[in-house]
């Protein structure tokens, strides 16, 4: 049974610095890992994904890294902006992690 | 938001009463999902549908039922609401293949007193 875990409930960084959000999983059977971003009073929105056959995917300021041997993925945001303040979820096979609340301070 | 409308946006109800939440989509997506969001648990799948009259259980389906009589509508019913079902409920649709991103509605905040 797949489990997706985000062990850091919150992260605070200074504007312009790097934000690194982490995610661990227990089952390697499924093809894609996705990251979603959620603002208050809105539904989650898709941010970036990575295929299990890759180890990196980049989209502008957002990069996701996948380490299959460690069953770990991370989302890097560089440079972080105050508008990035939100809750970030990683997901795989309809299962979501508990989320990490990112606060970017001006 | 892939044309997803959830109604109502907010509801307060009493323990033991039935409650139905509605999800309406305009994009003709085949797959639809109901999730609940709770602190410390993230988003948990309640039920999903892969077509009209075709539904299946998710990881937290106890106490919930669903119906899909039309492609555009996916209803979530709490047969007898309990305080543990106080949550924010999100509907989502899937466009494309299984690995495509989900598109979410803006949620329904349900409070059971």
């Amino acid at each position: 049974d797949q489990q997706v875990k985000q062990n850091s409930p919150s992260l605070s960084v200074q504007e312009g610095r790097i934000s690194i959000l982490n995610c661990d999983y227990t089952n390697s059977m499924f093809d894609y890992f996705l990251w979603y971003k959620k603002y208050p009073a809105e539904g989650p929105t898709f941010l970036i994904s990575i295929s299990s056959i890759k180890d990196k995917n980049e989209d502008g300021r957002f990069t996701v890294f996948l380490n299959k041997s460690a069953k770990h993925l991370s989302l890097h945001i560089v440079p972080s902006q105050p508008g990035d303040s939100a809750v970030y979820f990683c997901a795989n096979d309809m299962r979501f992690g508990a989320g990490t609340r990112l606060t970017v301070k001006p | 938001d892939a044309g997803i409308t959830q109604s109502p946006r907010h509801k307060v109800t009493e323990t033991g009463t039935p409650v139905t939440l509605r999800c309406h989509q305009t994009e003709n997506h085949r797959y639809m999902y109901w999730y609940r969001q709770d602190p410390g648990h993230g988003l948990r799948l309640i039920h999903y549908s892969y077509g009209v009259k075709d539904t299946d259980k998710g990881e937290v389906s106890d106490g919930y039922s669903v119906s899909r009589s039309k492609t555009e509508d996916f209803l979530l019913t709490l047969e007898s609401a309990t305080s543990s079902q106080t949550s924010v409920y999100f509907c989502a649709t899937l466009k494309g293949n299984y690995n495509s991103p989900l598109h979410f509605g803006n949620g329904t905040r349900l409070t059971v007193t």
Side-chain angles (χ1 to χ4, degrees):
Chain A
D1 190 25
Q2 169 68 291
Q3 287 193 10
V4 179
K5 297 181 180 179
Q6 294 176 258
N7 294 318
S8 298
S10 63
L11 174 68
S12 180
V13 300
Q14 206 68 34
E15 180 179 6
R17 306 296 288 267
I18 185 172
S19 297
I20 300 176
L21 297 92
N22 295 302
C23 180
D24 298 297
Y25 62 94
T26 59
N27 189 325
S28 301
M29 289 180 59
F30 303 100
D31 294 338
Y32 274 80
F33 296 88
L34 300 93
W35 285 92
Y36 293 83
K37 178 178 181 179
K38 184 185 179 305
Y39 292 118
E42 296 181 8
T45 56
F46 169 70
L47 182 61
I48 191 170
S49 64
I50 188 167
S51 165
S52 59
I53 64 172
K54 295 185 177 181
D55 54 17
K56 177 182 175 181
N57 187 31
E58 188 173 357
D59 184 2
R61 296 185 297 112
F62 303 90
T63 303
V64 57
F65 296 91
L66 177 61
N67 182 333
K68 288 184 284 295
S69 62
K71 296 187 178 180
H72 177 83
L73 61 157
S74 60
L75 174 67
H76 293 214
I77 307 174
V78 183
S80 300
Q81 299 174 354
D84 295 329
S85 297
V87 178
Y88 291 79
F89 296 99
C90 64
N92 179 262
D93 186 34
M94 298 186 290
R95 290 188 178 268
F96 285 72
T100 297
R101 181 177 301 278
L102 173 66
T103 302
V104 180
K105 298 179 179 179
Chain B
D1 65 356
I4 300 172
T5 304
Q6 291 187 234
S7 58
R9 290 297 312 276
H10 302 272
K11 186 170 181 65
V12 180
T13 191
E14 294 184 349
T15 298
T17 61
V19 177
T20 295
L21 308 183
R22 181 183 185 233
C23 178
H24 178 80
Q25 58 131 337
T26 59
E27 301 292 323
N28 203 36
H29 292 166
R30 177 182 173 190
Y31 290 86
M32 298 185 74
Y33 304 80
W34 277 108
Y35 283 87
R36 60 178 288 176
Q37 184 194 6
D38 304 289
H41 293 278
L43 293 155
R44 292 181 292 174
L45 182 64
I46 305 171
H47 281 278
Y48 63 100
S49 170
Y50 42 98
V52 173
K53 299 190 187 303
D54 289 326
T55 64
D56 207 347
K57 296 179 179 180
E59 59 183 310
V60 289
S61 59
D62 288 348
Y64 301 94
S65 63
V66 290
S67 66
R68 189 150 178 224
S69 59
K70 298 184 291 185
T71 298
E72 59 265 35
D73 289 325
F74 192 30
L75 304 181
L76 177 70
T77 297
L78 289 65
E79 304 291 348
S80 177
T82 67
S83 58
S84 65
Q85 293 176 312
T86 293
S87 187
V88 181
Y89 291 85
F90 289 98
C91 173
T93 67
L94 179 69
K95 176 184 178 181
N97 64 35
Y98 187 75
N99 290 309
S100 301
L102 295 175
H103 297 271
F104 285 86
N106 284 328
T108 293
R109 181 174 295 276
L110 176 67
T111 303
V112 183
T113 61

PDB file of all heavy atoms in Angstrom, chain B residues 13-27:
ATOM      1  N   THR B  13     -24.233  21.647  10.314  1.00  0.00           N
ATOM      2  CA  THR B  13     -25.322  20.712  10.500  1.00  0.00           C
ATOM      3  C   THR B  13     -25.191  20.048  11.857  1.00  0.00           C
ATOM      4  O   THR B  13     -24.145  20.142  12.504  1.00  0.00           O
ATOM      5  CB  THR B  13     -25.348  19.664   9.380  1.00  0.00           C
ATOM      6  OG1 THR B  13     -26.573  18.924   9.436  1.00  0.00           O
ATOM      7  CG2 THR B  13     -24.184  18.681   9.516  1.00  0.00           C
ATOM      8  N   GLU B  14     -26.231  19.366  12.269  1.00  0.00           N
ATOM      9  CA  GLU B  14     -26.216  18.716  13.575  1.00  0.00           C
ATOM     10  C   GLU B  14     -25.884  17.230  13.430  1.00  0.00           C
ATOM     11  O   GLU B  14     -26.190  16.606  12.417  1.00  0.00           O
ATOM     12  CB  GLU B  14     -27.567  18.896  14.265  1.00  0.00           C
ATOM     13  CG  GLU B  14     -27.874  20.338  14.627  1.00  0.00           C
ATOM     14  CD  GLU B  14     -29.178  20.459  15.389  1.00  0.00           C
ATOM     15  OE1 GLU B  14     -29.931  19.475  15.458  1.00  0.00           O
ATOM     16  OE2 GLU B  14     -29.443  21.559  15.919  1.00  0.00           O
ATOM     17  N   THR B  15     -25.312  16.699  14.467  1.00  0.00           N
ATOM     18  CA  THR B  15     -25.006  15.269  14.503  1.00  0.00           C
ATOM     19  C   THR B  15     -26.257  14.442  14.227  1.00  0.00           C
ATOM     20  O   THR B  15     -27.332  14.734  14.767  1.00  0.00           O
ATOM     21  CB  THR B  15     -24.429  14.893  15.879  1.00  0.00           C
ATOM     22  OG1 THR B  15     -23.209  15.614  16.082  1.00  0.00           O
ATOM     23  CG2 THR B  15     -24.147  13.413  15.971  1.00  0.00           C
ATOM     24  N   GLY B  16     -26.103  13.449  13.377  1.00  0.00           N
ATOM     25  CA  GLY B  16     -27.199  12.543  13.074  1.00  0.00           C
ATOM     26  C   GLY B  16     -28.015  12.912  11.857  1.00  0.00           C
ATOM     27  O   GLY B  16     -28.825  12.108  11.386  1.00  0.00           O
ATOM     28  N   THR B  17     -27.805  14.089  11.316  1.00  0.00           N
ATOM     29  CA  THR B  17     -28.573  14.500  10.142  1.00  0.00           C
ATOM     30  C   THR B  17     -27.852  14.071   8.863  1.00  0.00           C
ATOM     31  O   THR B  17     -26.629  13.983   8.837  1.00  0.00           O
ATOM     32  CB  THR B  17     -28.786  16.014  10.108  1.00  0.00           C
ATOM     33  OG1 THR B  17     -27.494  16.653  10.054  1.00  0.00           O
ATOM     34  CG2 THR B  17     -29.535  16.487  11.338  1.00  0.00           C
ATOM     35  N   PRO B  18     -28.610  13.798   7.804  1.00  0.00           N
ATOM     36  CA  PRO B  18     -27.957  13.491   6.521  1.00  0.00           C
ATOM     37  C   PRO B  18     -27.530  14.780   5.832  1.00  0.00           C
ATOM     38  O   PRO B  18     -28.181  15.822   5.965  1.00  0.00           O
ATOM     39  CB  PRO B  18     -29.065  12.774   5.739  1.00  0.00           C
ATOM     40  CG  PRO B  18     -30.329  13.323   6.313  1.00  0.00           C
ATOM     41  CD  PRO B  18     -30.063  13.644   7.747  1.00  0.00           C
ATOM     42  N   VAL B  19     -26.428  14.677   5.105  1.00  0.00           N
ATOM     43  CA  VAL B  19     -25.890  15.836   4.399  1.00  0.00           C
ATOM     44  C   VAL B  19     -25.435  15.381   3.012  1.00  0.00           C
ATOM     45  O   VAL B  19     -24.813  14.321   2.884  1.00  0.00           O
ATOM     46  CB  VAL B  19     -24.664  16.436   5.134  1.00  0.00           C
ATOM     47  CG1 VAL B  19     -24.079  17.597   4.342  1.00  0.00           C
ATOM     48  CG2 VAL B  19     -25.051  16.873   6.537  1.00  0.00           C
ATOM     49  N   THR B  20     -25.745  16.176   2.005  1.00  0.00           N
ATOM     50  CA  THR B  20     -25.263  15.885   0.655  1.00  0.00           C
ATOM     51  C   THR B  20     -24.488  17.074   0.123  1.00  0.00           C
ATOM     52  O   THR B  20     -24.970  18.209   0.149  1.00  0.00           O
ATOM     53  CB  THR B  20     -26.418  15.553  -0.295  1.00  0.00           C
ATOM     54  OG1 THR B  20     -27.038  14.332   0.134  1.00  0.00           O
ATOM     55  CG2 THR B  20     -25.908  15.355  -1.726  1.00  0.00           C
ATOM     56  N   LEU B  21     -23.284  16.794  -0.340  1.00  0.00           N
ATOM     57  CA  LEU B  21     -22.442  17.796  -0.981  1.00  0.00           C
ATOM     58  C   LEU B  21     -22.424  17.508  -2.480  1.00  0.00           C
ATOM     59  O   LEU B  21     -22.377  16.357  -2.901  1.00  0.00           O
ATOM     60  CB  LEU B  21     -21.024  17.742  -0.412  1.00  0.00           C
ATOM     61  CG  LEU B  21     -20.881  17.806   1.109  1.00  0.00           C
ATOM     62  CD1 LEU B  21     -19.415  17.821   1.499  1.00  0.00           C
ATOM     63  CD2 LEU B  21     -21.615  18.988   1.691  1.00  0.00           C
ATOM     64  N   ARG B  22     -22.403  18.595  -3.242  1.00  0.00           N
ATOM     65  CA  ARG B  22     -22.485  18.433  -4.690  1.00  0.00           C
ATOM     66  C   ARG B  22     -21.222  18.940  -5.370  1.00  0.00           C
ATOM     67  O   ARG B  22     -20.670  19.974  -4.985  1.00  0.00           O
ATOM     68  CB  ARG B  22     -23.686  19.187  -5.245  1.00  0.00           C
ATOM     69  CG  ARG B  22     -23.864  19.053  -6.767  1.00  0.00           C
ATOM     70  CD  ARG B  22     -25.028  19.880  -7.241  1.00  0.00           C
ATOM     71  NE  ARG B  22     -25.297  19.693  -8.664  1.00  0.00           N
ATOM     72  CZ  ARG B  22     -25.390  20.699  -9.539  1.00  0.00           C
ATOM     73  NH1 ARG B  22     -25.229  21.939  -9.134  1.00  0.00           N
ATOM     74  NH2 ARG B  22     -25.642  20.446 -10.804  1.00  0.00           N
ATOM     75  N   CYS B  23     -20.809  18.205  -6.380  1.00  0.00           N
ATOM     76  CA  CYS B  23     -19.711  18.629  -7.239  1.00  0.00           C
ATOM     77  C   CYS B  23     -20.206  18.623  -8.669  1.00  0.00           C
ATOM     78  O   CYS B  23     -20.715  17.601  -9.149  1.00  0.00           O
ATOM     79  CB  CYS B  23     -18.523  17.694  -7.082  1.00  0.00           C
ATOM     80  SG  CYS B  23     -17.130  18.104  -8.161  1.00  0.00           S
ATOM     81  N   HIS B  24     -20.048  19.751  -9.329  1.00  0.00           N
ATOM     82  CA  HIS B  24     -20.494  19.888 -10.712  1.00  0.00           C
ATOM     83  C   HIS B  24     -19.326  20.319 -11.573  1.00  0.00           C
ATOM     84  O   HIS B  24     -18.622  21.261 -11.245  1.00  0.00           O
ATOM     85  CB  HIS B  24     -21.615  20.925 -10.796  1.00  0.00           C
ATOM     86  CG  HIS B  24     -22.109  21.162 -12.179  1.00  0.00           C
ATOM     87  ND1 HIS B  24     -23.008  20.306 -12.803  1.00  0.00           N
ATOM     88  CD2 HIS B  24     -21.835  22.139 -13.084  1.00  0.00           C
ATOM     89  CE1 HIS B  24     -23.262  20.758 -14.019  1.00  0.00           C
ATOM     90  NE2 HIS B  24     -22.564  21.872 -14.209  1.00  0.00           N
ATOM     91  N   GLN B  25     -19.106  19.602 -12.691  1.00  0.00           N
ATOM     92  CA  GLN B  25     -18.020  19.962 -13.594  1.00  0.00           C
ATOM     93  C   GLN B  25     -18.560  20.177 -14.995  1.00  0.00           C
ATOM     94  O   GLN B  25     -19.546  19.571 -15.401  1.00  0.00           O
ATOM     95  CB  GLN B  25     -16.961  18.851 -13.603  1.00  0.00           C
ATOM     96  CG  GLN B  25     -17.506  17.485 -14.003  1.00  0.00           C
ATOM     97  CD  GLN B  25     -16.690  16.774 -15.064  1.00  0.00           C
ATOM     98  OE1 GLN B  25     -15.954  17.391 -15.830  1.00  0.00           O
ATOM     99  NE2 GLN B  25     -16.841  15.456 -15.120  1.00  0.00           N
ATOM    100  N   THR B  26     -17.891  21.069 -15.719  1.00  0.00           N
ATOM    101  CA  THR B  26     -18.354  21.423 -17.056  1.00  0.00           C
ATOM    102  C   THR B  26     -17.420  20.910 -18.150  1.00  0.00           C
ATOM    103  O   THR B  26     -17.629  21.212 -19.324  1.00  0.00           O
ATOM    104  CB  THR B  26     -18.487  22.952 -17.177  1.00  0.00           C
ATOM    105  OG1 THR B  26     -17.208  23.546 -16.920  1.00  0.00           O
ATOM    106  CG2 THR B  26     -19.511  23.491 -16.183  1.00  0.00           C
ATOM    107  N   GLU B  27     -16.381  20.148 -17.761  1.00  0.00           N
ATOM    108  CA  GLU B  27     -15.352  19.757 -18.719  1.00  0.00           C
ATOM    109  C   GLU B  27     -15.533  18.339 -19.259  1.00  0.00           C
ATOM    110  O   GLU B  27     -14.707  17.855 -20.031  1.00  0.00           O
ATOM    111  CB  GLU B  27     -13.966  19.871 -18.074  1.00  0.00           C
ATOM    112  CG  GLU B  27     -13.641  21.264 -17.588  1.00  0.00           C
ATOM    113  CD  GLU B  27     -13.478  22.252 -18.720  1.00  0.00           C
ATOM    114  OE1 GLU B  27     -12.936  21.866 -19.771  1.00  0.00           O
ATOM    115  OE2 GLU B  27     -13.920  23.405 -18.565  1.00  0.00           O
TER     116      GLU B  27
END
